[in-house]
Amino acid sequence: MIAKPLGMLLNFLYGLIGNYGISIIFFTIIVKLLLLPLTFQQLKQTKMMADMQPKLKELQNKYKNDKETLNVKTMELYKEYKVNPLGGCLPLLIQMPIIFGLFAVLREPIKHIADPNFVQAVNESFLWIPNLSEPDKIILPVLAGITTYFSMNTASNPGAAQNPSMKMMNTIFPVMILWWGRSFPAGLTLYWVVSNLFQMAQQYVIPKAGTPKEESN
């Protein structure tokens, strides 16, 4: 249901551009722009959660032996900062079906694009890649791993940066992406690299909005 319209968009772009690799780049940018409102909401909630972390730690230390009071005070703190505990997760959950649809289209484009002329497109070369339907064993996977590492660390909030499990994930996941990229079609890995670059750029472009002001004292 989601992969079909995404396939139509990719096919439309290829009809305009005539190059499968460049079509994937523009396809990625358009999809990321369409998801920008959800991404903005997620970033906003993440920054607000980071701002309230010091006060949350104070409560945890103060009421560490009184779980009931801790829960009440924590909910009061959420209300004070106007933060929804699930606010950062909800946009991501909404995006997940779209992400799965994207992977389906780029992994098996012929399955989701009815245009017979597109069969030739997926076998085109792009830059150093002889065939975008086949895996690129070295350069693209390495780029995917590097951009994943920097995009994850750029997006991390200060609280998460102090979390040992998050630090480990920020190291292990890029290595996993590098390994998976060696078996994915080059077109899919190209999408991942461009998506990461877009995400890193938006971290600098999107201003801090909606972040509650801390008290001067």
Side-chain angles (χ1 to χ4, degrees):
M1 185 174 64
I2 295 175
K4 208 72 175 178
L6 290 173
M8 292 172 63
L9 172 61
L10 182 57
N11 189 37
F12 172 75
L13 289 171
Y14 178 73
L16 290 177
I17 299 169
N19 181 286
Y20 185 44
I22 298 176
S23 298
I24 290 175
I25 293 173
F26 277 94
F27 173 79
T28 307
I29 293 171
I30 290 172
V31 172
K32 296 293 284 185
L33 287 173
L34 291 175
L35 294 175
L36 203 54
L38 291 174
T39 304
F40 180 81
Q41 181 63 26
Q42 184 181 356
L43 291 172
K44 178 181 174 182
Q45 289 288 326
T46 301
K47 289 171 182 174
M48 293 171 73
M49 285 288 290
D51 283 343
M52 62 176 281
Q53 283 303 309
K55 289 189 177 181
L56 186 58
K57 286 186 177 181
E58 286 180 15
L59 291 177
Q60 291 170 344
N61 291 330
K62 185 175 182 179
Y63 300 105
K64 58 184 177 182
N65 297 321
D66 188 350
K67 298 297 183 183
E68 185 175 347
T69 304
L70 175 61
N71 290 335
V72 172
K73 294 293 185 181
T74 299
M75 292 310 299
E76 289 177 356
L77 187 63
Y78 279 126
K79 289 181 180 179
E80 177 187 344
Y81 275 77
K82 298 180 181 178
V83 172
N84 182 347
L86 300 177
C89 300
L90 186 59
L92 183 60
L93 291 175
I94 295 173
Q95 291 181 61
M96 287 307 293
I98 301 173
I99 293 171
F100 289 140
L102 284 169
F103 269 61
V105 170
L106 291 170
R107 192 162 193 175
E108 299 178 290
I110 301 302
K111 183 178 179 181
H112 301 282
I113 299 175
D115 188 347
N117 296 324
F118 201 80
V119 175
Q120 180 182 352
V122 298
N123 295 311
E124 288 180 357
S125 62
F126 180 67
L127 299 178
W128 69 89
I129 307 164
N131 191 324
L132 284 166
S133 67
E134 298 293 332
D136 176 36
K137 296 293 186 180
I138 301 177
I139 300 177
L140 267 184
V142 170
L143 289 175
I146 292 172
T147 55
T148 298
Y149 175 81
F150 283 109
S151 66
M152 290 182 69
N153 282 274
T154 303
S156 297
N157 61 60
Q162 302 298 323
N163 190 323
S165 61
M166 285 302 299
K167 284 183 176 181
M168 184 177 295
M169 178 58 70
N170 287 357
T171 302
I172 293 176
F173 190 63
V175 176
M176 293 170 60
I177 290 295
L178 189 155
W179 181 255
W180 290 337
R182 299 181 76 252
S183 60
F184 286 160
L188 176 56
T189 311
L190 175 63
Y191 158 78
W192 189 264
V193 171
V194 177
S195 179
N196 285 336
L197 292 173
F198 187 97
Q199 181 172 322
M200 286 189 286
Q202 77 184 7
Q203 300 296 326
Y204 294 100
V205 173
I206 296 179
K208 293 183 178 181
T211 306
K213 295 180 180 179
E214 298 183 359
E215 297 177 358
S216 57
N217 55 351

